[in-house]
């Protein structure tokens, strides 16, 4: 039995994970919907490759049944996670993905009992989304156990977006900003929530976004009020406010398709040199009404980190280190998981 199946392997981040798996001695099976692309990647890497559509349930179950674990890299995950997760429950195959979409965390958490019964782990967010922020959230919770509010933020220096990330942003652009208040998910127009955040080495204006931590950090810490920010500029925030007024257009499928076609004309993602020279900076704060605690985390570029953390978690699972059921990175492996990745530092 081949231990690891990487689905969506020919995508920008999928390729990075394939290379990381090879560097760690694994010979994963590669899979994806596009036969031409997956066959070409299989030939390039000298690895088994299978063209596989998620709606082909029989073939999906057959292939998953031959593997211990799937690393799911084909987004937007709001459209793909359910099919893959249900197939994993049927075949008793562990599931991890690299999503940052809070809807997927909510969906997979609802499958917790089924996963426990199947004896498998469902762990979404095994990449930059959300390993570092989830570990930071757990660290802050340990410092202030009775915290009632958490604010998280991140920004990058010198990086860039992959086509897949950009398409996910298009898919969710019409919804504004989601956040959690008193345990409930709520939304507001994009660009409304803005603050200047001290990331440690610098300050940067940051804007509230819909991010996986409003669900993952909630399940990890049970802190009832959570909001996430991303480093931005006044110009970008102005554009977000403008786009929020056009949300009715951004809901339309043909508008989404047009925007995604424009994205396809751009490079697949940041170059290796650009990734090497960029860093991610995270900040978090928890409050209980009387006290507050802050902490900061610095990591490698988000895409490089995703390959590292996804393979780190996959390696633990295939070696038998897992907790059945739905898990977050920190609930499965503790707040120190991110510190196992070289180039990461935490400062209170």
């Amino acid at each position: 039995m081949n231990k690891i199946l990487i689905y969506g392997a020919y995508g920008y981040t999928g390729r990075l994970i394939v290379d990381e798996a090879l560097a760690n001695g694994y010979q994963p099976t590669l899979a994806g919907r596009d036969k031409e692309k997956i066959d070409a990647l299989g030939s390039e890497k000298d690895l088994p490759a299978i063209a596989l559509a998620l709606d082909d349930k029989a073939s999906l179950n057959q292939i998953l049944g031959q593997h211990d674990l799937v690393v799911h890299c084909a987004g937007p995950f709001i459209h793909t996670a359910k099919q893959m997760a249900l197939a994993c429950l049927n075949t008793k195959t562990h599931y991890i993905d690299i999503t940052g979409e809070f809807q997927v965390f909510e969906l997979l958490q609802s499958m917790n009992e089924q996963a426990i019964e199947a004896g498998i782990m469902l762990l979404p967010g095994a990449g930059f989304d959300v390993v570092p922020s989830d570990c930071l959230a757990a660290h802050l919770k340990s410092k202030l156990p009775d915290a009632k509010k958490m604010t998280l933020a991140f920004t990058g220096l010198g990086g860039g977006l992959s086509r897949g990330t950009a398409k996910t942003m298009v898919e969710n652009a019409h919804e504004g900003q989601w956040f959690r208040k008193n345990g409930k998910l709520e939304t507001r127009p994009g660009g409304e929530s803005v603050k200047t955040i001290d990331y440690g080495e610098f300050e940067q204006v940051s804007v509230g976004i819909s991010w996986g931590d409003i669900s993952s950090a909630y399940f990890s810490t049970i802190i009832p009020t959570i909001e996430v920010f991303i480093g931005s500029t006044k110009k970008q925030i102005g554009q977000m406010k403008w786009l929020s007024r056009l949300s009715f257009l951004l809901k339309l499928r043909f508008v989404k398709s047009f925007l995604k076609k424009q994205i396809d004309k751009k490079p697949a993602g940041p170059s290796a040199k650009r990734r090497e020279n960029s860093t991610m900076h995270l900040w978090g704060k928890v409050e209980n009404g009387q006290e507050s605690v802050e902490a900061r985390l610095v990591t490698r570029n988000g895409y490089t980190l995703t390959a590292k953390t996804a393979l780190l978690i996959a390696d633990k699972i295939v070696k038998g280190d897992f907790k059945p059921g739905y898990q977050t990175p920190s609930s499965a492996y503790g707040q120190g998981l991110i510190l196992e990745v070289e180039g990461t530092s935490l400062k209170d």
Side-chain angles (χ1 to χ4, degrees), residues 251-269:
K251 294 179 183 179
L252 301 175
R253 179 52 51 190
F254 80 90
V255 174
K256 292 180 187 289
S257 296
F258 171 79
L259 293 173
K260 289 178 181 179
K261 287 179 181 177
Q262 303 311 303
I263 291 168
D264 282 332
K265 298 175 183 178
K266 298 181 179 181

Side-chain angles (χ1 to χ4, degrees), residues 143-150 223 285-293:
K143 295 291 184 179
L144 194 65
D146 63 344
K148 299 296 187 294
K149 179 181 179 182
M150 175 183 293
I223 293 175
K285 180 179 181 179
V286 288
E287 305 168 67
N288 64 6
Q290 290 80 39
E291 303 174 79
S292 67
V293 175

Side-chain angles (χ1 to χ4, degrees), residues 136 139-140 197-202 281-284 294-298 345-348:
L136 180 59
H139 173 74
L140 288 165
I197 291 175
D198 180 0
Y199 288 96
E201 299 177 21
F202 57 92
H281 298 255
L282 296 93
W283 167 89
E294 297 184 29
R296 293 167 179 83
L297 188 67
V298 179
S345 62
L346 174 67
K347 184 176 181 180
D348 287 319

Side-chain angles (χ1 to χ4, degrees), residues 213-270:
D213 292 284
I214 62 173
S215 293
S216 58
Y218 175 68
F219 296 134
S220 300
T221 67
I222 315 300
I223 293 175
T225 297
I226 302 174
E227 186 173 7
V228 183
F229 291 78
I230 187 172
S232 190
T233 65
K234 290 182 179 179
K235 181 179 178 180
Q236 290 171 340
I237 293 168
Q239 290 172 338
M240 288 180 67
K241 291 179 178 178
W242 180 75
L243 285 172
S244 71
R245 301 187 190 104
L246 301 177
S247 60
F248 66 96
L249 286 176
L250 297 174
K251 294 179 183 179
L252 301 175
R253 179 52 51 190
F254 80 90
V255 174
K256 292 180 187 289
S257 296
F258 171 79
L259 293 173
K260 289 178 181 179
K261 287 179 181 177
Q262 303 311 303
I263 291 168
D264 282 332
K265 298 175 183 178
K266 298 181 179 181

Side-chain angles (χ1 to χ4, degrees), residues 95-109:
Y95 169 105
I96 67 174
D97 70 29
I98 55 172
T99 190
E101 299 161 62
F102 74 91
Q103 301 96 329
V104 176
F105 292 92
E106 295 287 321
L107 169 68
L108 295 187
Q109 198 278 334

Side-chain angles (χ1 to χ4, degrees), residues 175-186:
E175 294 193 351
Q177 180 208 349
W178 285 88
F179 58 100
R180 191 175 292 272
K181 184 176 180 181
N182 298 325
K184 304 295 184 182
L185 290 169
E186 298 187 9

